[in-house]
Amino acid sequence: MDLTCSLPIVNALIDDQGRRFDTIDDIYDVAGNPECNVQLQPGFDDEMQFVCRVLKDAVVTTWEFSEYGLENEVHSHGVVDLGCLPAP
């Protein structure tokens, strides 16, 4: 599984107005992230930072992620409520 070159993980931050903020391009350039096309093998794990460009006044409430298949369909879907996090 290639975590940094777009697929198969699609994710976004969602604010209290329902606006979606996608992950930046070239996420493999973020310090500590795996390089592009480094395949994560079954049974292994790796640390990963997803970085999104968000408007200054946005109040982010949710992180949404899904596994995206090559057939352009979502295989699984998850939502994390971030409303419990303290404001920066």
Side-chain angles (χ1 to χ4, degrees):
M1 176 184 296
D2 184 351
L3 296 175
T4 56
C5 290
S6 187
L7 299 176
I9 305 296
V10 178
N11 70 93
L13 293 176
I14 303 170
D15 73 359
D16 60 349
Q17 297 177 40
R19 297 179 292 189
R20 300 175 61 81
F21 301 96
D22 297 328
T23 305
I24 63 169
D25 291 334
D26 303 333
I27 199 162
Y28 50 84
D29 285 335
V30 174
N33 278 356
E35 295 178 15
C36 185
N37 292 323
V38 171
Q39 300 295 315
L40 184 62
Q41 299 300 312
F44 290 84
D45 60 19
D46 204 344
E47 290 193 22
M48 178 73 185
Q49 294 183 53
F50 293 100
V51 179
C52 299
R53 190 171 288 124
V54 178
L55 295 172
K56 186 177 181 177
D57 66 341
V59 178
V60 175
T61 60
T62 309
W63 177 50
E64 180 182 79
F65 60 95
S66 58
E67 180 183 359
Y68 197 77
L70 295 177
E71 304 85 30
N72 295 332
E73 61 186 48
V74 173
H75 291 291
S76 60
H77 177 82
V79 175
V80 177
D81 180 4
L82 301 176
C84 62
L85 296 178

